[in-house]
Structure formats: C-alpha cells, structure tokens
Amino acid sequence: MEVASPQFWVAVLQIIAIDIVLGGDNAVVIALACRRLPQNQRNQGIFWGVFGAIALRVILIFFALTLLKISYLKITGALLLIWIGIKLLQPEPENNEHTIGSSSTLLGAIKTIIIADAVMSLDNVIAIAGAAKDSIGLVIFGLLISVPIIVWSSKLVIKLMDRFPVIITIGAGLLGWIAGDMVISDTVTKEWVNTNAAFMHWLSPVCGVLVIILIGKWLAAKTLRKKLPLVDLADDTDKPLGPPQT
Amino acid sequence: MLKFLLPVDGSETSNKAVLDFIKLLDWYKETPEIHLMNVQYPLHGNAPMLIDKKSINEYHQEKGMKELQAAREAMNKAGVNHQFHITVGDPAQMIVRYGDEKQCDQIVIGPRKLGAVKGLLLGSVASKVMQHSKIPMLLMK
C-alpha cells in the first residue's frame, strides 16, 4: 500500500478505531484484577500486566501475519471477529458466577491478568491484522498506537464510550466490515471472487456489518428486556460519615 | 412524609444543586425524606467476563461513595437526615426507574449548563430524565 493512497489512510483510521474500542478496557481489567492486592504488590501487578499486554500483542501479531497466509485461516479469523463484534455490543451481564481467579492473592491476580491479556490481545491482533491487509508497516503502526491507549488513555477512552455509546456500535460495525473483507481475501476465495464476483468486494463487508449490528443489538435487547431488578450497592441510612475511601 | 430523590454524580453542578436544595428545605412543612442516589456506568466489553462480580461491585461501590461524599458532607453539616444509594446502569434510565419503583414524590436535579452546541451533542442526564420521568421534577438553577 502506498503511503499517499486513500486506502492507506482508511486503514490507518480503522486501526486507530480498533485500538480504541478493543484496547480501552485492557487497563481497567488489569487494575481491577489487582484491586485487592496490598499496595506494594498492586503497582507491580499493574506494571507487569500492562507489560504483558503489550508483549503478547507483539508476539501474536507476528504469528498472525504468517498464519493468515494459510488457507481457511482468514475465514476463521473473520468468524472470530464477528463473534468479538457481537460480544462488544452486549451489556454487562448481571450474573457472571464463573469467576476466573480470585484476585486477593498475587498469584490469582497474575492468573487473571494473563488470561485477560491473552483474550484482549488476541481480539486486537486479529482485527489489526485484518485491517492492515498484509502491510507490515501498518501492523507495526497499529501496535504502536495501541500502547499509549493501554498505558495512559484508557480512562479517557472509557469516559468517551460512556458518554457516546454509539462509538461502541460503530466499532462493532467496523469489525464486521473487516471480517467481511477477510472472508473474500482468504487464499481459497480470493481468486474466485476476483474473477467471478467483483461485487463481493463491497457486498461482503456490508454483510459483515449487518450481521454484527443486527445479531448484537437483538441479543442485547433480549437481555435488557428481562427487566433486571434494581441492585442497590449502598442502601444505607444515616451512617456516620467516614473518611473518603481512596 | 414526602420522599425526594436527589441524583448526585459528584460534579460541581450536582454538589451545588444539593447545597441550594438544602437552603430550600424550610419551604416544606416537615423535612422531606431525602434519598441521594449515584449511578455508575457499567463496564464494557471483556471486563465483566474476566473479573468476578464481587470485585466489580466493590469497584462501582468505591467510585460511587467517592461521588456521594461531598453531597453527604453537605447534608450532615446542615443536619439533614438522608439515605444514599448506588446503582449501576444508564444514569437517566436508572434515575427514572428508581423514582418510579421506590415511589418517590419528586426528583431534584441540577442540570449541567452546556452551551448550545455541546448541549445538542451531549444532552444532559437531566434532560433525559425530564423526558421519561413519571413523577414531578425540581430543576435546581
């Protein structure tokens, strides 16, 4: 891809958007996993958690670029992306009993962080690899952009997503677009699409967007329709006011 | 006794609204029952899948208590009895639901003063509550 070409800049914007919607919560998960640790271990936990998140992305992305040249793997990646996109649109589940690791011990926290880093890096890497369309330069650019987002701006990113929930919908749709694009650029489908069905170049991404938004929104509406009881986390009267919790 | 719901988010406008409302309390023949309420935004994406519910609730609770702090201090200083609550969800929606389900008589809220453009883009929680509330509202200016 030429640096001056519009496709290049479209890909750049796509990668930034992916980093924002998929990377923004990584730091939060790390911070949450370390919450119950004693203060001196907490900072260490957060540091290594962030370090691991970045390191895993670097390792995974190199695998991803080589692996994606194998037949059917792009299609698999596309399906994964669809699932990630649908997942992105779901509200916070009310009863998640399956707890991965109790975070009151250093070991428990490390376990949670490793799983979290692996899951989120994988999401991020598949999406970036898809958006970068085999351009190593873009892939590295995507990695570089995701680092400051994980390290510094996650609070800002999350505030933005709280205020404008439409960002999440756009992000999920973008994943669908990339997934649709990946399906037709797999080594098995590429030739056939190029010779027989050039219109698939726009139809397939559009279908990807529709699938994610329609199924994602429908599932989310189904969960929300079961009107959940109001949960009060601090139903208290006239308790003496203690010092502010920090 | 009248039951008033005061949504509070710890921002300057919201704290000022609470202070102003305390000054208005002698309007009422008997001091109304005051419920301070804080709403936390739910976590997005992978966080709820990877972190246990208890930790998430504690996290919401901690943040909520911080945002309630100033309002509670003001109430205590004025010697006004109050209750406080923290819920998780879309703020406007939760405020409306709470007022409805707990049979409050009035919602007291301080709308943020946004400019024309910002107001159009962001909309305030107060204006959303105004649209959907089934009970009367008092807007603190």
Side-chain angles (χ1 to χ4, degrees):
Chain A
M1 246 182 277
E2 294 283 317
V3 179
S5 71
Q7 289 101 314
F8 177 84
W9 291 104
V10 168
V12 166
L13 287 179
Q14 283 183 346
I15 287 169
I16 294 175
I18 290 165
D19 278 331
I20 288 175
V21 290
L22 290 181
D25 56 350
N26 205 327
V28 175
V29 173
I30 293 169
L32 274 175
C34 297
R35 268 193 80 244
R36 284 200 250 156
L37 294 179
Q39 187 66 45
N40 58 327
Q41 288 180 348
R42 196 181 305 167
N43 288 339
Q44 259 188 338
I46 291 175
F47 172 79
W48 286 108
V50 169
F51 179 81
I54 296 162
L56 261 170
R57 275 171 171 75
V58 176
I59 298 167
L60 283 172
I61 208 104
F62 281 104
F63 276 111
L65 281 183
T66 351
L67 286 175
L68 284 178
K69 296 200 174 82
I70 302 170
S71 317
Y72 297 109
L73 257 180
K74 267 201 177 167
I75 297 177
T76 318
L79 292 177
L80 264 174
L81 265 190
I82 300 258
W83 179 69
I84 294 165
I86 291 172
K87 205 177 64 180
L88 200 61
L89 290 174
Q90 303 314 306
E92 181 178 323
E94 204 47 44
N95 49 342
N96 58 341
E97 298 303 328
H98 51 283
T99 58
I100 304 174
S102 137
S103 44
S104 51
T105 62
L106 185 61
L107 216 70
I110 291 175
K111 215 171 88 187
T112 310
I113 291 170
I114 292 175
I115 295 172
D117 280 349
V119 170
M120 295 188 188
S121 304
L122 192 68
D123 287 5
N124 199 289
V125 162
I126 295 172
I128 289 182
K133 292 183 184 152
D134 306 325
S135 154
I136 288 268
L138 276 175
V139 167
I140 290 167
F141 169 78
L143 271 173
L144 290 179
I145 289 287
S146 75
V147 173
I149 288 176
I150 298 169
V151 180
W152 291 295
S153 55
S154 65
K155 261 198 185 140
L156 177 82
V157 166
I158 285 164
K159 240 189 201 143
L160 266 176
M161 293 204 276
D162 282 340
R163 289 298 315 191
F164 306 99
V166 75
I167 292 178
I168 302 170
T169 313
I170 295 172
L174 175 62
L175 294 181
W177 183 272
I178 295 165
D181 206 61
M182 276 168 93
V183 167
I184 52 159
S185 52
D186 191 277
T187 37
V188 233
T189 49
K190 206 174 180 176
E191 291 278 309
W192 185 85
V193 168
N194 281 346
T195 47
N196 297 315
F199 63 88
M200 285 296 275
H201 280 292
W202 60 266
L203 185 64
S204 179
V206 169
C207 285
V209 175
L210 287 178
V211 164
I212 284 189
I213 303 251
L214 291 179
I215 296 182
K217 287 279 175 194
W218 175 70
L219 280 177
K222 223 174 83 176
T223 335
L224 289 177
R225 216 177 300 134
K226 287 184 260 154
K227 212 176 178 189
L228 299 161
L230 271 170
V231 180
D232 202 330
L233 295 176
D235 197 0
D236 258 314
T237 319
D238 302 324
K239 254 198 188 164
L241 193 61
Q245 289 174 334
T246 42
Chain B
M1 213 200 297
L2 285 172
K3 198 170 169 185
F4 282 11
L5 181 64
L6 271 78
V8 163
D9 67 357
S11 68
E12 230 168 89
T13 16
S14 124
N15 292 339
K16 192 179 160 286
V18 170
L19 282 173
D20 290 348
F21 181 66
I22 292 173
K23 283 183 205 144
L24 297 184
L25 276 175
D26 47 358
W27 283 8
Y28 304 95
K29 210 157 48 182
E30 55 174 348
T31 313
E33 191 180 317
I34 292 176
H35 293 261
L36 295 175
M37 183 199 189
N38 176 262
V39 187
Q40 291 293 320
Y41 284 104
L43 292 175
H44 303 284
N46 289 306
M49 198 178 77
L50 296 161
I51 303 292
D52 57 303
K53 193 79 199 159
K54 201 166 151 248
S55 297
I56 293 181
N57 281 348
E58 277 175 17
Y59 169 76
H60 286 320
Q61 205 177 7
E62 216 169 79
K63 273 178 70 187
M65 290 307 277
K66 252 187 236 164
E67 293 180 7
L68 282 166
Q69 183 79 11
R72 291 182 61 208
E73 266 166 14
M75 290 269 166
N76 280 11
K77 217 171 139 194
V80 184
N81 285 342
H82 62 278
Q83 299 183 20
F84 58 93
H85 314 275
I86 300 169
T87 54
V88 180
D90 174 66
Q93 213 182 336
M94 297 312 277
I95 292 167
V96 170
R97 268 187 67 190
Y98 201 91
D100 189 35
E101 283 175 29
K102 304 279 166 170
Q103 282 148 4
C104 297
D105 298 298
Q106 183 167 281
I107 297 173
V108 181
I109 200 167
R112 294 199 296 161
K113 288 172 196 71
L114 298 167
V117 179
K118 253 189 168 174
L120 197 70
L121 274 172
L122 285 165
S124 70
V125 170
S127 62
K128 266 187 231 155
V129 175
M130 259 171 16
Q131 274 175 21
H132 300 286
S133 176
K134 291 167 193 149
I135 59 176
M137 282 181 74
L138 176 63
L139 295 179
M140 303 303 298
K141 282 293 196 180

